[in-house]
Amino acid sequence: MEFFCYHRDRPGSLALREELGEEHWSYMDRYAKELIARGPTFADDGETLTGSVHIVDLPDPAAARAFAFDEPNYQAGAYRDVLLRRWRNMLGRTMWDFPGGRSGGNRYLVLGLGEGPAADSALPSDRDDLVAYGPLLSDDGDTWLGTAVLLRAPDPETARAVLTAERYADIEVHDWEFGGRR
């Protein structure tokens, strides 16, 4: 089962995250084979960390909750909240398989949160800039709760346009970059 996990930073937690850097990396190393995508998000200035995205394939919701809440930064209080949802990998690949590579162009996390009938359940016709794409689902996988996309785009407005705006209660766009040990 695939899960989308977004840890949102608590304001002022950068020093704590830096202090726990190696613990975070060691923890994530344990999940290297299960990770579909990962990486930090940033404020509009492109430098201030705002969160950490992990898309991971795990056996069940309990394993996903353990992954999200046993993470060292979470345990130490660096995150203000965690969005954890079932997810479906509509591209069928990992970020490491993205033909656009690790760098070049602006990268974004687009989160559309909604309810009711599923929106954007078909892949966009232009897939060249999609790093990861899929619906956010309830634990049982039956209820659509939104859509999460990682993509390359020239600007936040173009990134936002990948989702049908009127179908979501809220759409968030965050600067994002490929994560993992360098």
Side-chain angles (χ1 to χ4, degrees):
M1 291 180 190
E2 299 153 335
F3 294 88
F4 175 88
C5 180
Y6 184 39
H7 291 95
R8 296 174 194 267
D9 282 16
R10 182 178 308 284
S13 66
L14 180 59
L16 180 57
R17 284 192 67 181
E18 288 174 345
E19 176 184 326
L20 295 169
E22 185 52 40
E23 286 181 58
H24 168 78
W25 290 116
S26 294
Y27 183 80
M28 289 302 155
D29 287 346
R30 295 176 16 207
Y31 293 94
K33 292 180 182 173
E34 291 84 7
L35 284 165
I36 295 166
R38 64 186 294 185
T41 60
F42 298 89
D44 292 340
D45 65 12
E47 294 181 20
T48 304
L49 282 171
T50 59
S52 189
V53 172
H54 295 92
I55 302 175
V56 62
D57 189 355
L58 295 167
D60 54 47
R65 284 189 288 279
F67 169 83
F69 299 114
D70 290 345
E71 195 276 338
N73 289 316
Y74 179 82
Q75 288 290 310
Y79 300 127
R80 71 176 169 99
D81 61 59
V82 179
L83 174 65
L84 179 63
R85 297 284 185 257
R86 285 275 303 272
W87 187 77
R88 187 173 308 120
N89 185 353
M90 293 181 64
L91 292 172
R93 66 178 185 221
T94 71
M95 72 178 202
W96 296 276
D97 301 321
F98 173 59
R102 288 184 64 95
S103 60
N106 300 321
R107 312 294 171 102
Y108 298 96
L109 162 64
V110 180
L111 283 175
L113 305 175
E115 62 183 354
D120 299 311
S121 56
L123 283 168
S125 57
D126 182 8
R127 300 176 191 170
D128 293 345
D129 290 323
L130 297 177
V131 178
Y133 188 100
L136 298 168
L137 304 165
S138 58
D139 275 359
D140 62 11
D142 291 337
T143 304
W144 177 84
L145 302 170
T147 306
V149 184
L150 298 171
L151 76 157
R152 177 178 55 194
D155 53 61
E157 295 75 28
T158 303
R160 180 183 304 273
V162 74
L163 298 182
T164 309
E166 61 273 5
R167 289 292 294 118
Y168 297 89
D170 187 30
I171 296 178
E172 303 173 16
V173 179
H174 304 270
D175 284 352
W176 171 79
E177 69 179 37
F178 275 50
R181 288 191 191 263
R182 304 217 183 254

